[in-house]
């Protein structure tokens, strides 16, 4: 079936990237100081190997944030959500008790939030989302930046 609603979201907040890049510069500067200038980095310096391992972990986290994305695809038969690389869901409309677009407020941050009023929340920014409750009682919410378009699509599906 042809997808009727599609959205891809990434972490694009400028302040988040300044923070992450700033954190990434710390081990880079430490390696530069210890390896190239042959000076200790800090009062209680880490070994060069330890500093390199720390840098690899920090740059791994930066890479993870760069690659993470939330894809939502909805058609008349199902809702597909993928929060790469962590979660993937596919539910048929026949399994859904209710689905509504709402302002869910702040649920303690962005990413994947567990045990909220809306069940598991998948979001990258903002406070609007598609709250879904399945007939089996499971709840989850998919964040959206296309609130109006999603509302219009749901009106068509529910007619």
């Amino acid at each position: 079936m042809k997808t009727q609603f599609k959205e891809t979201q990434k972490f694009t907040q400028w302040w988040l990237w300044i923070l992450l890049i700033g954190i990434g510069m710390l081990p880079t500067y430490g390696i530069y100081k210890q390896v190239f200038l042959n000076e200790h980095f800090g009062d209680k310096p880490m070994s060069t190997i330890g500093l390199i391992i720390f840098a690899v972990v920090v740059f791994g986290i930066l890479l993870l944030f760069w690659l993470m994305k939330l894809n939502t695809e909805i058609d008349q038969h199902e809702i597909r959500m993928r929060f790469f690389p962590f979660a993937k869901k596919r539910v048929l409309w026949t399994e859904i008790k209710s689905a509504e677009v709402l302002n869910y407020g702040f649920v303690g941050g962005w990413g994947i939030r567990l045990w909220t009023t809306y069940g598991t929340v998948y979001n990258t920014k903002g406070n609007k989302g598609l709250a879904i409750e399945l007939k089996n009682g499971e709840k989850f919410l998919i964040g959206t930046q296309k609130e109006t378009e999603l509302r219009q699509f749901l009106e068509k599906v529910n007619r």
Side-chain angles (χ1 to χ4, degrees):
M1 183 45 110
K2 183 181 170 214
T3 300
Q4 309 249 339
F5 176 85
K6 187 173 185 174
E7 181 176 18
T8 298
Q9 300 175 69
K10 292 186 68 113
F11 288 99
T12 57
Q13 298 90 327
W14 64 268
W15 57 268
L16 174 66
W17 286 103
I18 287 175
L19 178 68
L20 290 171
I21 290 168
I23 292 170
M25 290 174 72
L26 185 66
T28 303
Y29 178 66
I31 291 170
Y32 169 74
K33 220 174 156 181
Q34 279 191 200
V35 174
F36 297 103
L37 299 180
N38 205 20
E39 297 175 13
H40 292 295
F41 178 60
D43 295 339
K44 296 180 182 178
M46 191 182 283
S47 70
T48 301
I49 296 297
L51 201 52
I52 291 169
I53 291 169
F54 177 64
V56 167
V57 169
V58 167
F59 285 110
I61 292 169
L62 278 168
L63 180 64
L64 179 64
F65 270 87
W66 180 261
L67 294 175
M68 269 194 288
K69 64 181 164 182
L70 175 60
N71 289 317
T72 307
E73 295 182 0
I74 307 173
D75 60 35
Q76 292 178 335
H77 297 289
E78 65 185 6
I79 297 173
R80 294 176 301 282
M81 181 280 307
R82 175 133 193 221
F83 200 149
F84 181 82
F86 301 110
K88 188 176 186 179
K89 281 192 170 292
R90 178 178 172 252
V91 292
L92 300 173
W93 281 105
T94 56
E95 301 172 56
I96 295 174
K97 177 179 176 183
S98 67
E100 69 174 311
V101 178
L102 49 77
N103 180 332
Y104 57 85
F106 185 73
V107 291
W110 295 284
I112 299 174
R113 296 287 167 251
L114 306 172
W115 307 298
T116 73
T117 305
Y118 307 102
T120 303
V121 174
Y122 305 93
N123 62 4
T124 60
K125 58 187 148 205
N127 59 3
K128 308 284 190 295
L130 176 60
I132 298 166
E133 183 176 359
L134 302 180
K135 290 176 182 174
N136 68 10
E138 180 188 347
K139 294 180 180 180
F140 63 98
L141 184 140
I142 306 167
T144 185
Q145 301 302 301
K146 297 180 174 182
E147 174 189 10
T148 305
E149 187 180 329
L150 185 52
R151 279 185 200 279
Q152 290 170 349
F153 176 74
L154 287 178
E155 286 174 10
K156 279 192 244 176
V157 170
N158 291 328
R159 285 184 189 172

